[in-house]
Amino acid sequence: MAENHILDVVITIPSSKLDEFLEAFKPAYDGVIAEKENTLFEVSVKEDKEAGEVEIHLVEAWTCTTEWFMAVQAKKEYYKPYLAITEPMFKKERQMKIWKRLERFSHSKPAHFDV
């Protein structure tokens, strides 16, 4: 039986590298959102101008077991070029957590995705 969970990732890079990061990230992002088990992928940023760095916050919602995610999804080929290019940019160790989603307390309005 599938589980519903959230992958929460925080990556810190120099502010000057954000455009380069996003360019390398886009093919992996496109690969993830094409997966049937992925139901949401949001990317947010928070810049610290004084420190000259930006935190990139990735939130992914998945309908699969954690075991499947780690054994199958986390090993997809489209991550390799993205990580090869971006990992040298990391100013801090990447933070990753997997959370069990409580469906009865999950909500989004259609306006959430209006651009």
Side-chain angles (χ1 to χ4, degrees), residues 34-51:
E35 302 289 348
K36 68 178 178 156
E37 295 85 3
N38 177 260
T39 61
L40 172 88
F41 197 157
E42 291 194 342
V43 180
S44 305
V45 296
K46 178 179 155 188
E47 185 173 12
D48 182 340
K49 290 184 181 186
E50 193 172 297

Side-chain angles (χ1 to χ4, degrees), residues 44-73:
S44 305
V45 296
K46 178 179 155 188
E47 185 173 12
D48 182 340
K49 290 184 181 186
E50 193 172 297
E53 62 188 31
V54 63
E55 284 186 343
I56 302 162
H57 187 211
L58 312 177
V59 178
E60 303 174 30
W62 291 90
T63 56
C64 59
T65 65
T66 302
E67 293 76 19
W68 179 90
F69 183 87
M70 297 308 292
V72 178
Q73 181 58 38

Side-chain angles (χ1 to χ4, degrees), residues 5-97:
H5 63 267
I6 301 291
L7 174 65
D8 186 81
V9 180
V10 177
I11 298 167
T12 304
I13 63 169
S15 297
S16 62
K17 297 284 189 179
L18 181 59
D19 288 340
E20 183 181 346
F21 176 94
L22 293 173
E23 184 176 328
F25 170 73
K26 182 70 164 80
Y29 170 86
D30 289 340
V32 167
I33 64 173
E35 302 289 348
K36 68 178 178 156
E37 295 85 3
N38 177 260
T39 61
L40 172 88
F41 197 157
E42 291 194 342
V43 180
S44 305
V45 296
K46 178 179 155 188
E47 185 173 12
D48 182 340
K49 290 184 181 186
E50 193 172 297
E53 62 188 31
V54 63
E55 284 186 343
I56 302 162
H57 187 211
L58 312 177
V59 178
E60 303 174 30
W62 291 90
T63 56
C64 59
T65 65
T66 302
E67 293 76 19
W68 179 90
F69 183 87
M70 297 308 292
V72 178
Q73 181 58 38
K75 296 179 181 178
K76 297 280 180 149
E77 286 296 315
Y78 51 72
Y79 291 120
K80 291 179 183 177
Y82 148 69
L83 292 172
I85 294 168
T86 62
E87 281 183 334
M89 299 178 194
F90 294 2
K91 290 186 77 175
K92 300 176 184 172
E93 186 175 337
R94 175 180 48 198
Q95 301 170 38
M96 295 177 65
K97 294 181 181 178

Side-chain angles (χ1 to χ4, degrees), residues 2-5 62-63 100-107:
E3 299 171 0
N4 291 308
H5 63 267
W62 291 90
T63 56
K100 181 180 178 191
R101 190 165 64 89
L102 299 176
E103 292 85 3
R104 68 183 196 183
F105 292 107
S106 295
H107 172 78

